[in-house]
Amino acid sequence: MTATFVRACGLSELEDDTPKRVELDGTPVSVVRTEGEVYAINDICSHANVSLSEGEVEDCSIECWLHGSSFDLRTGKPSGLPATQPVPVYPVKIEGDDVLVSVTQES
């Protein structure tokens, strides 16, 4: 299977530790630049149907603003209750100023 990458945003559009919500192929994605890296994580909290991009970023995790669960930007795993299920994370490539994310797999 090969990942299909699409442009999510410009690298210059990202502020450190400030999530940017984008929609890619109908999938809501939060793109985050933190600690010198860029990550893409599904924008919907696995515990409650709210946008993670409205939360805060700290220590390579994003916090759901509603109930306080944090998700690791590298793995999508929650670090504590009330969330118990991970959220999907997506591969990211940087080409020039373009941040490319793959939310789909093609065979």
Side-chain angles (χ1 to χ4, degrees):
M1 291 190 155
T2 348
T4 302
F5 286 86
V6 295
R7 186 180 189 279
C9 61
L11 188 58
S12 59
E13 296 173 47
L14 297 175
E15 295 180 36
D16 286 343
D17 301 325
T18 303
K20 179 174 183 66
R21 186 182 197 279
V22 296
E23 193 162 309
L24 304 174
D25 295 329
T27 302
V29 176
S30 183
V31 180
V32 180
R33 182 171 65 190
T34 186
E35 299 177 9
E37 297 290 328
V38 177
Y39 301 94
I41 189 167
N42 191 285
D43 192 47
I44 304 301
C45 178
S46 63
H47 170 256
N49 190 23
V50 297
S51 176
L52 290 176
S53 62
E54 295 176 30
E56 300 206 6
V57 174
E58 187 176 341
D59 297 329
C60 213
S61 65
I62 190 167
E63 182 181 63
C64 177
W65 63 269
L66 188 58
H67 295 115
S69 288
S70 287
F71 298 89
D72 189 302
L73 290 168
R74 298 162 292 212
T75 65
K77 292 181 180 175
S79 61
L81 297 174
T84 58
Q85 297 298 312
V87 294
V89 294
Y90 307 109
V92 174
K93 290 194 307 189
I94 308 295
E95 291 183 357
D97 186 55
D98 293 331
V99 177
L100 307 174
V101 177
S102 175
V103 294
T104 58
Q105 297 267 328
E106 287 186 0
S107 52

